[in-house]
Amino acid sequence: MLSRRRCFAAAANRIRPLARAFCDAPASGAPRSQDHSHTEKVAGVKAPPDVLDVAIVGGGMVGLAVACALSNMPLTKHLKIAIIDSNPALKSRGYLDKNSTPDSRVSTVTPATISFFRDIGAWEHVQQQRHAFFGKMQVWDYTGLGYTRYNARDVGKEYLGCVVENKVLCNSLLLRLKEELDDIENVIYPTRLVSLTFPLKSRQAGMKPASSEPLSVGHTTEELHRSNLVKLDLSDGRILYSKLVIGADGSKSNVRQIAGIKTTGWNYPQSAIICTVEHVVENDCAWQRFLPSGPIALLPIGNNFSNIVWTMSPEESLRHKSMSPEEFVKSVNHALDFGYGPHPRSTALDHYMEQFFSGIGNTATSTKECFEVPPKATGVVSERMAFPLSLMHSHDYVSKRLALVGDAAHTVHPLAGQGVNLGFGDAAALAKVIAEGVSVGSDVGDLTLLQRYEKDQKAANVAMTAVLDGFQKMYSVDFGPLNMVRAAAFHGAQYISPLKKSIISYAMGDKKWPLFP
């Protein structure tokens, strides 16, 4: 993360007169202000369409993170931006009640993501709302042949991650935006995108081209300028023009589909059921057990609450969703304890491996930790939600005047909780590239500039996607020889300290590539 902070700092120090002129004279040619006026009528005459530097389609966690990063950096804070999303939650302007029942939808954010949130000034707002750090994690298999313990102290850290409700992350980003923008109400457009019209020079397959009418005759200078921008038609009838459109509108991205960007992916024969459960004692560890139908995770959320993410067949997910609360809690405890197979037990092989690998590098703290049984759930306190699982990756993240971030560019299996962290990584990388472009007077929608963002993120995201897909496939088959391979993997991760530390660093976001220093 030091490199990321240096990049932010370096970008801030490269302010030049040309960049200052770019920021102070936004696309509309008017003095810098976020007052879009939302195309109001004045004296019966309709005001001209709003002209922007950056239009972000999607006001979820990743879209808000992009807006927050741009509004926070000295080089980009004067850019004229808009967030297009009809979600009424974007009207929230205060802290959420810590004492309310936790929502089912949570994210496990890594130290890398937390550092990004600190850089843009949003983490202090998360700290004022419910969140739960955890410094330990246990992963094991239903066969009882092996387990792995991870501890933040293995890599000299205080925590492995933090579980935060999605609504808390969104709210914290909104509160930070409000601090940076005096007129946040004019930045958020509570509506939906209907269509995008790209300039003729884009020549992108599937994109609606601009009018072919010659622009040299009968058009004002402002109209000529707008002809080089992307036109956004909104569901409330308003029209926007923007130098850059950022698609942050999820796995079924309307922006991606309109742009004609192709994807590769498949549906898993699995669904995930999520909910919040309660314990008698507070849970301070993240737990994950691989079962024949998929993994079940128990994640601490604070105040004796934990979040359940349980992967199973679609039929089983419907059955578990319709169970009585008592039956469901019994099923959860069964899955996290003796259900499907025995607890892992230390054997002579474990003792031999511990002794053999103890001399390789500094021994990790958790190699001597024994298997533990997770805390029992005593009740389910939230709605049980089920959703199908899939993998998707866009062939391209960018084209001229267009960039995709988060789930609009890639979706992964939730077994390691990495999906949203990949999205926040996209947000940080794209904001940094835009700032670097502004510093040298580049057009923020220039394809060459945007391709630097794609180069920075795409390969690492593909690697994480492949790792998670490999885990999904490896742990979806109950086959004797493969079970032994999995057991060997658990033992290796438990007792080979360099391997354990490398896995932890990769999962925490400190490294972009698995198993490499």
Side-chain angles (χ1 to χ4, degrees), residues 440-457:
V440 296
S442 296
D443 183 339
V444 297
D446 180 68
L447 180 57
T448 303
L449 176 69
L450 297 175
Q451 283 174 335
R452 286 156 56 184
Y453 152 68
E454 179 175 274
K455 182 180 179 182
D456 187 45
Q457 289 300 106

Side-chain angles (χ1 to χ4, degrees), residues 414-438:
L415 65 86
Q418 290 293 332
V420 74
N421 294 294
L422 296 181
F424 287 134
D426 292 346
L430 180 57
K432 179 175 75 72
V433 164
I434 292 173
E436 291 172 348
V438 170

Side-chain angles (χ1 to χ4, degrees), residues 153-374:
R153 290 178 295 173
D154 293 340
V155 290
K157 302 289 186 179
E158 295 181 6
Y159 51 83
L160 294 172
C162 185
V163 183
V164 191
E165 293 161 83
N166 292 355
K167 65 181 182 181
V168 169
L169 292 171
C170 285
N171 191 55
S172 299
L173 291 164
L174 277 170
L175 291 171
R176 179 56 180 158
L177 270 177
K178 185 180 178 183
E179 291 175 345
E180 288 294 323
L181 304 173
D182 295 331
D183 53 350
I184 188 173
E185 306 301 333
N186 288 323
V187 172
I188 298 174
Y189 287 70
T191 184
R192 294 179 295 103
L193 175 71
V194 173
S195 67
L196 294 172
T197 306
F198 285 78
L200 280 173
K201 293 181 181 178
S202 294
R203 294 177 183 171
Q204 291 155 312
M207 293 184 179
K208 181 181 175 183
S211 171
S212 59
E213 179 184 351
L215 294 172
S216 58
V217 180
H219 291 273
T220 66
T221 303
E222 186 175 355
E223 289 172 332
L224 288 171
H225 173 65
R226 291 204 301 261
S227 70
N228 290 318
L229 307 179
V230 183
K231 178 185 176 186
L232 299 89
D233 292 285
L234 308 182
S235 60
D236 60 4
R238 286 180 285 190
I239 296 174
L240 306 177
Y241 287 87
S242 184
K243 290 182 176 181
L244 172 64
V245 174
I246 298 176
D249 50 343
S251 59
K252 297 180 180 179
S253 172
N254 190 25
V255 171
R256 187 186 67 238
Q257 292 176 15
I258 293 174
I261 295 177
K262 295 181 180 180
T263 63
T264 295
W266 47 82
N267 295 323
Y268 291 115
Q270 296 172 317
S271 291
I273 190 164
I274 59 174
C275 65
T276 303
V277 296
E278 193 170 16
H279 309 285
V280 174
V281 297
E282 186 164 359
N283 177 25
D284 62 353
C285 179
W287 312 83
Q288 185 167 57
R289 187 186 189 198
F290 285 92
L291 304 175
S293 60
I296 180 172
L298 184 73
L299 307 172
I301 192 62
N303 299 334
N304 291 15
F305 294 113
S306 291
N307 183 262
I308 291 285
V309 183
W310 192 351
T311 301
M312 57 186 72
S313 70
E315 296 76 21
E316 282 293 293
S317 70
L318 292 176
R319 188 173 71 85
H320 279 78
K321 189 177 178 182
S322 61
M323 283 180 176
S324 69
E326 295 76 17
E327 287 179 313
F328 182 79
V329 167
K330 183 178 179 180
S331 184
V332 165
N333 289 330
H334 180 72
L336 287 168
D337 200 342
F338 276 109
Y340 305 97
H343 293 163
R345 290 184 295 178
S346 296
T347 64
L349 175 62
D350 296 306
H351 179 72
Y352 173 78
M353 290 187 68
E354 182 180 349
Q355 294 298 315
F356 181 81
F357 291 110
S358 61
I360 302 178
N362 296 323
T363 303
T365 303
S366 60
T367 57
K368 298 183 181 299
E369 293 181 3
C370 297
F371 175 83
E372 295 181 15
V373 178

Side-chain angles (χ1 to χ4, degrees), residues 3 59 90 99 106 128 165 266 279 283 359 397-398 440 497 509:
S3 61
L90 292 176
N99 297 317
V106 305
Q128 298 299 317
E165 293 161 83
W266 47 82
H279 309 285
N283 177 25
Y397 284 16
V398 301
V440 296
S497 291

